[in-house]
Amino acid sequence: MNFDESEPQSVREERFAAERAQSRAARKAASLDLWGAHVGAVIVTVAVVLLSWYGKLVAIGIVSGIFLLWFAAALAWAYADGDHGRHALQRAYNITFGWGNGV
């Protein structure tokens, strides 16, 4: 987002809005790589199963609640950003569990 200091504020805002719309359209058109999200979801699932195996019910509730709230916030953000349906769910899933790419 470059701007010329001599251009009027209204022209600058219109150009910024056009750039944001263009980047939003490109983001919606791009396919999501969900491999890392699947890895993250498997790690969380294994952790929850191990916690349940050892009877740590409070820890299960805390871990599950954190990821549920994280997913709900990501889904709300995706809907607010203009995504709907399957793509919004995929983006929220990728935001929530995408840290699995680093593992």
Side-chain angles (χ1 to χ4, degrees):
M1 292 188 190
N2 299 321
F3 64 92
D4 182 13
E5 292 182 12
S6 64
E7 71 182 352
Q9 182 68 25
S10 61
V11 172
R12 187 179 310 158
E13 288 174 359
E14 288 177 17
R15 193 164 40 81
F16 285 167
E19 288 176 5
R20 282 192 304 268
Q22 182 181 10
S23 66
R24 180 177 290 130
R27 186 174 56 242
K28 287 182 183 179
S31 64
L32 293 171
D33 179 24
L34 297 176
W35 174 250
H38 294 324
V39 171
V42 166
I43 291 170
V44 170
T45 302
V46 168
V48 169
V49 166
L50 287 175
L51 287 172
S52 68
W53 183 265
Y54 291 109
K56 307 292 185 186
L57 297 178
V58 173
I60 293 171
I62 291 171
V63 171
S64 300
I66 288 172
F67 280 99
L68 179 65
L69 289 174
W70 193 353
F71 182 79
L75 187 60
W77 179 63
Y79 270 94
D81 197 32
D83 275 346
H84 298 290
R86 183 177 182 167
H87 196 260
L89 289 171
Q90 287 176 339
R91 278 185 63 197
Y93 178 71
N94 201 20
I95 290 168
T96 305
F97 298 107
W99 50 266
N101 275 333
V103 174

